[in-house]
């Protein structure tokens, strides 16, 4: 099989190929490593390429495949991992100078599960520093370019993960989503991204940003691939007390008679008319296939960004307190006393965005301001939850854009944090409610892909994936 063909295959197609002895995992892995070498000087998706680990895992996978027994779907399949997820013995920088030389002492639970299946890890992908951002421009190391147009951002914070899948440098990737970090880059890069229900996937071994919102999920070429990976990584883990006792089950949910909610607040001012057109056409296709379109209102939408950008910095200020120059990461020892070691290490180690959030969060949590900011934000969060709960009494799923605009120019918004924050308008509200949602490619504006967001009720990953897989065929 020619090189191009191998790089185009999905998980199931590769699995079949392994079974029929058309190629080995080592061969496939070498194709992917070759593609990374060929393209990554332009794309900048990877922070570390774990070539030795990949070839060793591929060899082991080939032994399992050759043993003749049934082998798992992910056995021998090459993937990339966001650099905020720990892979034992490999660097985990979280895109920060603070952790530039940090080597993970253990595997995240999701990595353990991938390894149990025999998956092959090609490397660690770029992200905004500590997953804060929408473009990877906040990475301390490099900016990941959009594979469809190198002058545009790849999206963030998991831009490296999405770009690696879109440019055929990995079959799939694991990433994390706090306010949109899986879905936004998936939308910008024209791939599939799933943000699971809060609690569906263990975060043990994920470098925490905002613990009440962080979730790990797959970025993949197709819905079927995303489903396969989600099935492997989801479920209870004794190392993460927020993980739910949940067994993902796949069952076809037909578009016929499905009730699709369309929130009017998500099609208001600020939405690019070309994005709106693509999303409305997708909604029309679902309607033509028998779905019932139900106009709904998510009346708290306007407060979501403000609420999110109080809660997230508050949790960031607490989570990032551990980086003190003593316990973890960068340490500036050239200081007269312990306090100065803390101050200097944090001063040098953190970039502008984490510093901004630590300041905002510390302020929002401080006595005298706590009630006005953090407590208020928690109350609004409850109202946002109720908004969604009321809608899900009337509808099965909700359709919306992922982002108000397609991928923007590199540098265009770098000096305007508020403009960056506004990019989360459609992706962050459902996170405050803890709901699952995915992004699926729905069309293009010129070269640039545009994603449709499908939001589901709690632990209804099966519903949104099933709906998306029927649409996938119609949207292409
Ligand atoms: N853009 C959002 C933020 O900066 C979301 C990031 C994420 O999901 N990790 O907080």
């Amino acid at each position: 099989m020619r090189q191009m063909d191998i790089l185009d295959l999905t998980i199931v197609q590769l699995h079949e190929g392994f079974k029929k002895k058309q190629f080995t995992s080592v061969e496939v892995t070498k194709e992917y490593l070759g593609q990374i070498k060929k393209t990554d000087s332009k794309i900048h998706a990877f922070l570390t390429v774990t070539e030795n680990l990949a070839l060793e895992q591929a060899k082991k996978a080939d032994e399992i495949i050759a043993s003749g027994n049934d082998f798992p779907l992910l056995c021998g399949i090459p993937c990339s991992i966001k650099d905020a997820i720990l892979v034992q013995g490999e660097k985990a920088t979280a895109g920060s100078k603070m952790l530039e030389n940090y080597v993970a002492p253990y595997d995240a639970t999701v990595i353990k599960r991938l390894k149990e299946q025999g998956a092959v890890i090609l490397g660690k992908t770029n992200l905004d520093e500590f997953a804060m951002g929408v473009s990877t421009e906040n990475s301390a190391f490099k900016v990941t370019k959009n594979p469809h147009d190198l002058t545009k951002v790849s999206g963030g914070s998991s831009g490296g993960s999405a770009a690696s899948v879109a440019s055929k440098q990995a079959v799939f990737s694991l990433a994390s989503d706090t306010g949109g970090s899986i879905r936004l880059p998936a939308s910008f890069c024209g791939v599939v991204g799933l943000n699971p229900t809060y609690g569906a996937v263990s975060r043990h071994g994920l470098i925490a940003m905002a613990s009440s919102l962080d979730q790990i999920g797959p970025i993949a070429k197709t819905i079927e691939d995303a489903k396969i990976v989600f099935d492997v990584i989801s479920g209870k883990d004794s190392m993460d007390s927020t993980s739910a006792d949940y067994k993902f089950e796949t069952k076809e949910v037909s578009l016929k008679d499905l009730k699709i909610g369309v929130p009017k607040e998500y099609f208001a001012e600020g939405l690019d008319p070309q994005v709106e057109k693509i999303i409305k056409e997708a909604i029309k296709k679902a309607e033509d296939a028998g779905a019932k379109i139900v106009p709904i209102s998510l009346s708290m939408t306007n407060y979501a960004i403000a609420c999110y950008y109080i809660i997230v910095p508050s949790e960031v200020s607490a989570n990032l307190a551990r980086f003190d120059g003593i316990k973890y990461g960068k340490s500036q020892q050239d200081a007269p006393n312990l306090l100065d070691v803390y101050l200097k290490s944090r001063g040098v180690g953190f970039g502008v965005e984490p510093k901004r959030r630590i300041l905002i969060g510390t302020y929002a949590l401080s006595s005298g301001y706590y009630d006005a900011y953090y407590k208020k934000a928690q109350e609004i969060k409850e109202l946002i939850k109720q908004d969604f709960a009321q809608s899900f009494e009337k509808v099965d799923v909700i359709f919306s854009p992922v982002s108000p605009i397609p991928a923007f120019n590199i540098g265009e918004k770098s000096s305007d944090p508020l403009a960056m924050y506004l990019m989360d308008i459609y992706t962050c509200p459902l996170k405050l409610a803890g709901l699952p949602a995915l992004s699926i490619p729905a069309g293009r504006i010129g070269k640039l892909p545009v994603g449709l967001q499908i939001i589901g009720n709690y632990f209804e990953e099966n519903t949104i994936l099933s709906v998306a897989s029927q649409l996938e065929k119609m949207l292409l």
Side-chain angles (χ1 to χ4, degrees), residues 178-198:
T178 304
S181 278
I182 288 178
R183 293 157 288 151
L184 189 91
S187 169
F188 281 8
C189 292
V191 289
V192 168
L194 170 68
N195 162 72
T197 308
Y198 186 74

Side-chain angles (χ1 to χ4, degrees), residues 99-267:
L99 293 175
E100 195 168 9
N101 299 310
Y102 178 72
V103 174
Y106 61 92
D107 279 328
T109 298
V110 289
I111 298 300
K112 246 192 218 152
R113 292 187 178 167
L114 288 190
K115 285 185 175 173
E116 278 161 16
Q117 287 258 320
V120 172
I121 295 170
L122 296 164
K124 307 293 298 291
T125 51
N126 194 27
L127 67 156
D128 287 297
E129 188 169 358
F130 287 103
M132 301 175 198
V134 290
S135 64
T136 76
E137 290 167 296
N138 293 340
S139 165
F141 305 112
K142 48 170 90 165
V143 178
T144 302
K145 313 271 171 70
N146 192 305
H148 301 279
D149 177 345
L150 298 176
T151 66
K152 308 282 180 190
V153 300
S154 55
S157 64
S158 319
S161 284
S164 71
V165 175
S167 53
K168 303 180 191 177
Q169 297 172 328
V171 181
F172 71 92
S173 191
L174 287 190
S176 65
D177 190 311
T178 304
S181 278
I182 288 178
R183 293 157 288 151
L184 189 91
S187 169
F188 281 8
C189 292
V191 289
V192 168
L194 170 68
N195 162 72
T197 308
Y198 186 74
V201 179
S202 164
R203 290 97 43 85
H204 176 61
L206 169 68
I207 297 171
M209 166 155 83
S211 308
S212 74
L213 304 164
D214 298 341
Q215 263 297 286
I216 295 175
I219 291 182
K221 295 175 183 176
T222 63
I223 291 290
E224 186 182 43
D225 281 3
K227 207 192 274 188
I228 291 167
V229 178
F230 177 66
D231 188 30
V232 169
I233 62 173
S234 57
K236 183 81 187 151
D237 173 25
S238 60
M239 300 302 282
D240 178 355
S241 60
T242 64
S243 70
D245 209 351
Y246 160 60
K247 180 76 198 89
F248 174 58
E249 270 163 39
T250 54
K251 200 173 101 225
E252 169 117 359
V253 176
S254 167
L255 269 174
K256 199 165 159 11
D257 297 327
L258 185 87
K259 290 196 243 39
I260 298 175
V262 179
K264 67 169 191 276
E265 292 81 0
Y266 286 45
F267 293 85

Side-chain angles (χ1 to χ4, degrees), residues 6 8-15 77 171 221-222 224-225:
I6 285 183
D8 282 329
L9 299 180
T10 63
I11 295 173
V12 171
Q13 288 166 337
L14 285 167
H15 185 76
I77 307 288
V171 181
K221 295 175 183 176
T222 63
E224 186 182 43
D225 281 3

